[in-house]
């Protein structure tokens, strides 16, 4: 049971022009064949196991773009299954340990982003198996 790394790639120019991160973001993780789905879309469904750590990071498509994670909310956080926080010494990566206590479920979450200084959000989910 390794760490799951999820990467958010944002077309910052497109997001700023349209006012939406949803149509301008692409999420992937390193689960490969293990069952995550909707990779390359703004609504990634990441498959995780109880006890796994998930790391979220974000990068702009353009090297001059500015984007960062500012927080998480939603069912995954409110049920205390996973509460990501910035890593000590590396605030560009947010990490959270899945603590489902044997619960198997799909849990939605919202990622808050700062894109060029503007606040925008994305919705995704984790599936605890």
């Amino acid at each position: 049971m390794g760490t799951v790394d999820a990467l958010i790639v944002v077309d910052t120019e497109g997001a700023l022009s349209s006012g939406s991160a949803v149509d301008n973001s692409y999420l992937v993780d390193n689960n490969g064949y293990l069952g995550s789905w909707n990779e390359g879309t703004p609504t990634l469904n990441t498959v995780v196991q109880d006890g796994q750590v998930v790391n979220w990071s974000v990068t702009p498509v353009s090297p001059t773009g500015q984007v960062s994670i500012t927080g998480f909310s939603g069912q995954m956080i409110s049920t205390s299954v996973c509460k990501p926080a910035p890593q000590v010494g590396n605030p560009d990566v947010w990490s959270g340990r899945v603590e489902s206590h044997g619960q198997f479920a799909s849990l939605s979450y919202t990622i808050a982003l700062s894109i060029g200084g503007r606040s925008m959000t994305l919705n995704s989910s984790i599936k605890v198996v």
Side-chain angles (χ1 to χ4, degrees), residues 18-101:
S18 70
S20 172
V22 174
D23 296 327
N24 297 286
S25 298
Y26 315 93
L27 286 74
V28 295
D29 66 32
N30 65 336
N31 273 340
Y33 66 91
L34 294 178
S36 294
W37 65 97
N38 285 346
E39 288 197 312
T41 74
T43 55
L44 176 66
N45 293 275
T46 299
V47 174
V48 296
Q49 294 178 351
D50 194 24
Q52 273 190 303
V53 171
V54 182
N55 296 318
W56 286 268
S57 60
V58 64
T59 189
V61 170
S62 169
T64 59
Q66 295 180 348
V67 61
S68 60
I69 298 171
T70 58
F72 285 78
S73 61
Q75 185 182 24
M76 177 180 79
I77 289 80
S78 65
T79 59
S80 297
V81 169
C82 185
K83 294 184 172 184
Q87 284 185 352
V88 175
N90 189 2
D92 294 333
V93 177
W94 286 58
S95 297
R97 180 173 304 279
V98 176
E99 297 176 349
S100 69
H101 307 289

